[in-house]
Amino acid sequence: MGMISRVRGRIRSDSFSKIHTIKSEDKLANIVWLLSLVLLLPYWAPRGLLVALGGAWLMAAYTCLVVPVLISANYKYPARWYPAVVKLAQEVAKKLRAPVTRVLGVMKAAYAPVERAEKLFLQMNNLSTMIGQLLMFTACDRLLVSQGRLTCLYSLMFYNVVTYSVSYVREICTKEDWSPYVNVTRHSRVKHLAMSATKIVLEWTKAVTFIVTITFVLLALGLEQGLEHYKPTALYTAITGTYYLLTERTFLELWPIGLSALKLERLEGMELLYFGAWARAITTALAIPLVPALAWYERWRLAALLFYVCVFIHGRHRLGEALAKLQEARGSLAKFRRATPEELATLEDVCAVCLGTMKSARVTPCAHFFHADCLRKCLANSDRCPICVRPYVFC
């Protein structure tokens, strides 16, 4: 009997200890929850208590120190009603899924004509680019320039002059036919009088326009006549210049050429695709912080236009298209492994597609080496090896 009573006492003591542990955990969870409410009160104070006391830096430091601690404490000691709330939220979301789907379908059908108009607007590349530049320059003018209200127009004019000069110099440098005459046919030596005269007049007009434009800009900058409203700041010039260089077609064609001259092996010859995604991501990122800044100064219409054109339309369509092309190119090459430096050193061969030296290459299952971009172009036409014409079989 004594042994039985001792066993019963131990069982009762263990059960009571477990109940006591559970109650203490609940008490600790409730204490953590109440402390979380108290520590989050400064965010709900009128006009921001921490901002009033120490500025935005104090608010940022408080957020970085306190919020992670609160999240980890509530995760480690969750209150009993947390799972019930999560379950209730899941049930409500499940019940609302069908109505929300129907509402989204109606909204998508109603938005379809607007989406077609947006795509038509982007197809007019010069117009859409110019409108985006005007909105971006005007926003920077309103936010970063104190007195110069015409700074955006002057800046756009100067940038366009630089673009025209660069395109003309590029045309001269890449020009192969310096003859002022036009032959009747390709293999004939007979000169076409009317076409030759038109070509001469056109070339001289371009040269005179270039000289006059450069002279006018130099005189305007040197004499500073009519530039009393042109007062750009360094930040204004940096933002607008970067945006213009990454949106104007002339520079969009030149940057990949300069990037390919660096011969970065990581890009694998796909500089055009990578730079297209980078340029559109940077221009969208430059426009995003200007929207709340304009809203803060109550310039609602300009903020709405900037968000819709430079962030929503350009980010959704142009950035999305560039990322999709890059992802598709990388996805098509994902199955082909990269060649190791030892393999390329022992190979000492050229790419069979472009006949260029291979500092980086992809290896096919049939053990043939190609540049990544060359292999990607071949995959767009056929799923067979360009050398042995065998279908690719991956183990």
Side-chain angles (χ1 to χ4, degrees), residues 191-204:
K191 312 300 180 185
H192 196 294
L193 183 59
M195 294 299 294
S196 299
T198 303
K199 183 178 179 181
I200 293 172
V201 171
L202 182 62
E203 294 297 331
W204 275 104

Side-chain angles (χ1 to χ4, degrees), residues 12 97 102 115 124 227 260 350-351:
R12 288 173 183 172
R97 186 175 300 171
R102 287 195 292 267
E115 187 176 8
M124 298 182 287
L227 296 179
S260 61
V350 297
C351 176

